[in-house]
Amino acid sequence: MGMGRFVFVLLVFSCCSSSRFADAYDPMDPNGDITIDWDFQSLDVKAANTYTVMVSIHNRQLYRHIERPGWRLSWSWAGKEVIWDTRGAEATEQGDCSRVGGGSRPHCCQKRPVMVDLPPGTPFNQQVANCCRGGVLSSLSQNNLTSTAAFQMVVGEYAAARDGGSKEPEMPWGFDIGVPGYSCSNATKVPPTRSKVDRNRHVQVLLTWRVTCSYSQYREAGVQSCCVSLSTFYSSGIVPCPRCSCGCQGSPTSPQCVSGGEPAPPPPAGGGDDDDEPAAPLIRCSEHMCPIRVHWHVKVNYRRYWRVKVTVSNYNLVRNYSDWNLVLQHPNLRSLTQLFSFNYKPLVEYGTYNDTGMFWGIRYYNEMLLQDGNVQTEMILEKSEGEFTFSGGWAFPRRVYFDGHECVMPPADQYPALPNGAAATRGQSSLAAGACMVLLSFLALV
């Protein structure tokens, strides 16, 4: 009996552990990560003991993007390296440069430098390609042209790698991209980056190091940031977001809130989108206390189609969400026929099967979700033969993500129920129709 109990506990522990680590793997974006390449453009080992490197940050995630205050890339030097000059980014601290002789002082002498992107409008002579967007990186699906950032450094006083006489610099370590939820690998040497300069010619850098950063919700501290509410045309009630989805009013972990009748306070002096740190959340008081609410409304039932309205409401009174995106998981998305006011891209496709889609705003129209505002869309979906039904919550999404964060769904037993006597499925209604035809035929014979 004791042995059986031990085996049972071991199985439960294994299942819980495996599910936790499996959740760090994102089935909706299995290959998504942030890749950092150090491309060596010059390497002077004889005279100046310096090298010039172009650092590129590539966001290869389909739907997660880096928003303000942006990335803050840091690492630890292997030796006594200093950054003499930089373009496209800057170090947050210069540090103690008294040990460096000569007339000019380096840009940064920190053992662990922290590099940040320059803001838009930086003078041209301080820029490089793909720089100067304030640390913001678009997701790969929304805009692959702004999903990359870059800056150039001139590094001196480097230590050669201890591999028997090699003159290559020793790799830095302890990389961190400075965004909650991400952890980075050590640098590894990869084949040098090649680029095309004209129709027939490619060039390559001297040396390339690569660092990979991945996201996990278990690494991101903090409370939930969004929730989902539901309603239908066949039910008069609305299933609200679960109570205290993102905290309870008055609790230490919940954001400060303002009641419905109170005006929003003015922004703090000097505050704004250019600050290094985002403003503390200030939201409209609600039962759910979430900055973002996503409402799914089953609007109309046609003979061959059905119509859904989705509304994303911003309860945050001090923040606009620029380049927002919404990810929905529903088995009928593969039959999406028409969409209004949003962009759309399937995320997970296995042959003809697709149950996950990404939605985002149209440029210059609704790409920004304003403070205390909302954006909305309607979609028309074709009914899948033998699968479509209004019963059992089938018409509602399985998962909802806003800006890469999973939203809190209502419990399944609270989903809007069909009225008494309504046909639950297409199969049941077809069966009823068939029974009526048989009855009519019998009456005609008698």
Side-chain angles (χ1 to χ4, degrees):
M1 184 68 179
M3 186 64 180
R5 182 175 298 178
F6 172 78
V7 173
F8 174 77
V9 172
L10 183 62
L11 286 173
V12 171
F13 177 79
S14 300
C15 291
C16 293
S17 300
S18 62
S19 64
R20 170 171 180 156
F21 287 110
D23 201 71
Y25 167 81
D26 189 352
M28 291 188 290
D29 190 9
N31 300 314
D33 58 31
I34 294 179
T35 300
I36 304 169
D37 287 341
W38 284 45
D39 292 324
F40 285 74
Q41 299 174 317
S42 68
L43 186 59
D44 187 349
V45 299
K46 294 181 180 180
N49 198 29
T50 62
Y51 62 79
T52 302
V53 61
M54 181 70 74
V55 180
S56 302
I57 305 173
H58 307 276
N59 183 13
R60 305 196 306 165
Q61 299 175 109
L62 293 178
Y63 65 93
R64 285 192 173 92
H65 62 273
I66 305 300
E67 51 195 338
R68 294 190 178 188
W71 53 265
R72 295 169 63 91
L73 183 62
S74 62
W75 63 86
S76 295
W77 292 117
K80 298 181 179 180
E81 289 89 340
V82 297
I83 302 174
W84 281 106
D85 192 21
T86 181
R87 295 286 185 271
E90 63 182 357
T92 57
E93 297 283 346
Q94 184 183 35
D96 183 7
C97 295
S98 60
R99 62 182 173 85
V100 181
S104 58
R105 300 187 66 189
H107 176 79
C108 178
C109 301
Q110 292 279 85
K111 179 69 175 179
R112 185 171 181 82
V114 179
M115 303 297 294
V116 295
D117 197 9
L118 295 178
T122 295
F124 185 75
N125 62 352
Q126 299 177 26
Q127 296 186 27
V128 295
N130 295 318
C131 84
C132 311
R133 290 192 290 268
V136 174
L137 291 175
S138 301
S139 65
L140 201 58
S141 298
Q142 287 178 266
N143 191 341
N144 61 1
L145 298 178
T146 55
S147 62
T148 295
F151 62 92
Q152 185 185 59
M153 295 187 300
V154 178
V155 179
E157 305 296 328
Y158 69 84
R162 303 178 184 91
D163 59 355
S166 171
K167 296 300 183 181
E168 291 182 2
E170 191 169 356
M171 293 179 181
W173 55 278
F175 284 88
D176 185 7
I177 200 167
V179 180
Y182 289 86
S183 63
C184 300
S185 69
N186 290 325
T188 57
K189 186 178 178 179
V190 297
T193 301
R194 299 171 67 247
S195 57
K196 194 171 185 178
V197 293
D198 58 40
R199 181 176 180 181
N200 300 313
R201 177 174 169 78
H202 288 80
V203 296
Q204 71 179 38
V205 298
L206 302 176
L207 174 70
T208 296
W209 294 338
R210 178 164 296 169
V211 177
T212 301
C213 303
S214 59
Y215 174 85
S216 171
Q217 65 177 359
Y218 292 107
R219 301 190 192 107
E220 184 170 10
V223 296
Q224 299 287 342
S225 59
C226 58
C227 64
V228 179
S229 57
L230 308 169
S231 62
T232 68
F233 68 90
Y234 55 77
S235 177
S236 58
I238 295 178
V239 178
C241 289
R243 181 181 175 86
C244 298
S245 294
C246 302
C248 297
Q249 290 188 38
S251 68
T253 58
S254 65
Q256 183 183 355
C257 73
V258 176
S259 299
E262 300 179 30
D273 290 339
D274 292 333
D275 289 346
D276 289 338
E277 298 296 333
L282 177 66
I283 66 174
R284 290 287 180 193
C285 294
S286 62
E287 291 290 319
H288 54 78
M289 290 296 289
C290 291
I292 295 294
R293 186 192 73 164
V294 180
H295 184 73
W296 176 283
H297 176 64
V298 180
K299 188 174 182 179
V300 183
N301 181 29
Y302 304 110
R303 180 172 173 270
R304 293 180 52 201
Y305 302 91
W306 61 300
R307 191 182 188 110
V308 174
K309 181 178 181 179
V310 178
T311 304
V312 183
S313 300
N314 182 7
Y315 284 64
N316 198 327
L317 302 177
V318 294
R319 179 181 176 186
N320 300 326
Y321 291 85
S322 58
D323 291 328
W324 59 268
N325 66 64
L326 186 71
V327 174
L328 301 173
Q329 187 178 42
H330 192 283
N332 209 190
L333 279 180
R334 66 177 180 269
S335 301
L336 179 61
T337 302
Q338 193 169 7
L339 179 73
F340 304 91
S341 304
F342 284 6
N343 291 306
Y344 165 75
K345 180 179 180 179
L347 275 190
V348 182
E349 294 183 277
Y350 300 99
T352 59
Y353 184 79
N354 163 49
D355 69 345
T356 307
M358 176 178 170
F359 302 80
W360 68 96
I362 296 173
R363 189 166 177 79
Y364 304 124
Y365 176 57
N366 57 1
E367 63 181 339
M368 180 173 287
L369 177 54
L370 299 176
Q371 302 169 9
D372 209 17
N374 67 76
V375 291
Q376 57 188 17
T377 185
E378 294 192 12
M379 62 183 85
I380 299 176
L381 304 101
E382 186 175 7
K383 295 178 179 178
S384 302
E385 180 114 22
E387 184 181 27
F388 177 82
T389 178
F390 282 127
S391 69
W394 188 91
F396 303 111
R398 287 12 175 199
R399 287 186 177 184
V400 176
Y401 293 78
F402 180 82
D403 272 1
H405 302 280
E406 187 170 4
C407 302
V408 180
M409 296 283 295
D413 60 356
Q414 295 182 11
Y415 284 7
L418 286 167
N420 292 334
T425 64
R426 289 175 59 90
Q428 287 179 345
S429 91
S430 299
L431 183 62
C436 290
M437 291 297 294
V438 171
L439 181 59
L440 289 174
S441 300
F442 175 77
L443 292 175
L445 290 175
V446 299

